[in-house]
Amino acid sequence: MNTPATSFKPNPNIAPGPWLDAVTWNAQGLVAVIAQEVGSGDVLMMAWMNRDALLKTMQIGEAVYWSRSRQKLWHKGEESGHTQTVKDIRLDCDGDTILLVVDQKDGIACHTGAHSCFFLGWDAKASTWQKSVE
Amino acid sequence: MNTPATSFKPNPNIAPGPWLDAVTWNAQGLVAVIAQEVGSGDVLMMAWMNRDALLKTMQIGEAVYWSRSRQKLWHKGEESGHTQTVKDIRLDCDGDTILLVVDQKDGIACHTGAHSCFFLGWDAKASTWQKSVE
């Protein structure tokens, strides 16, 4: 499942509809989104989408999130160039989390320049989180 | 990274400390947790932990979440038997999401009996989410 043979294609003409209502939006009107790298299966990051972000993602085929800190749509890579091309999109059993399988431009998902945002590993000896080499 | 050579070991004696404060707990005192299957790299589910849940997870080496619907600690598999043994634990760049790499007992993570909770795929022709064969 981590390397799905998928045929996701963006649809510039898709409009809001029952498919958008099928998502379980939280009290803030958001859904959690996990971005996983196609091929490697690496979990890259977690972010959020609102209805507009999901609609836009389906239309252009690149990940568009909702930035909670900036309170606006965030076309991932709009500044860094590290866009994510959607290869597959899945919804979970209770509709409140989306799994986005993406082709990560330059292999860099994190704003720190790391491949994945999950670069802090557990150091049992020191009982702390440490930056670990990937 | 999806099949880490990890040496995570539970520590029955670990106590709350700076490592727990390093997590960015949200307004509800929770952190998002992504469970990924060791070996396959499949993303299995997303759930939440509070401080007690994360502490317990570190102590016993099995995933313990916070059930938002039942408002209590949820030792995953306590009823179904589908426990998750922790193989690796990672924190993301801003500390508000944990990646738990787990050995999923019986390969069943979802309460529906599915391997993964993300069994709803996108059906472009019908513009809807459909249960897809894994």
Side-chain angles (χ1 to χ4, degrees), chain B residues 76-89:
Chain B
K76 166 80 180 153
E78 63 195 356
E79 292 180 13
S80 65
H82 303 144
T83 50
Q84 297 178 330
T85 302
V86 179
K87 293 296 177 181
D88 194 13
I89 183 164

Side-chain angles (χ1 to χ4, degrees), chain B residues 4 9 35 46-47 83-84 93 100 114 125 133:
Chain B
K9 295 267 191 305
M46 202 200 80
T83 50
Q84 297 178 330
C93 54
L100 214 57
K125 277 191 184 165
V133 181

Side-chain angles (χ1 to χ4, degrees), chain A residues 1-2 14 19 36 40-42 46 58 68 90-93 96-97 99 117-118 120 122 127 129 132, chain B residues 1-2 14 19 36 40-43 58 68 90-93 96-97 99 117-118 120 122 127 129 132:
Chain A
M1 195 182 102
N2 56 330
I14 195 168
W19 67 274
Q36 182 182 31
S40 72
D42 290 349
M46 203 198 80
M58 298 300 263
R68 294 177 302 167
R90 290 164 173 275
L91 189 63
D92 79 342
C93 54
D96 68 356
T97 310
L99 177 62
C117 290
F118 296 93
L120 294 170
W122 178 246
S127 279
W129 312 94
S132 51
Chain B
M1 196 183 104
N2 56 332
I14 194 168
W19 67 274
Q36 182 182 32
S40 72
D42 291 348
V43 175
M58 298 299 264
R68 294 178 301 166
R90 290 165 174 274
L91 189 64
D92 79 343
C93 54
D96 68 356
T97 310
L99 178 61
C117 289
F118 296 92
L120 294 171
W122 178 247
S127 280
W129 311 95
S132 51

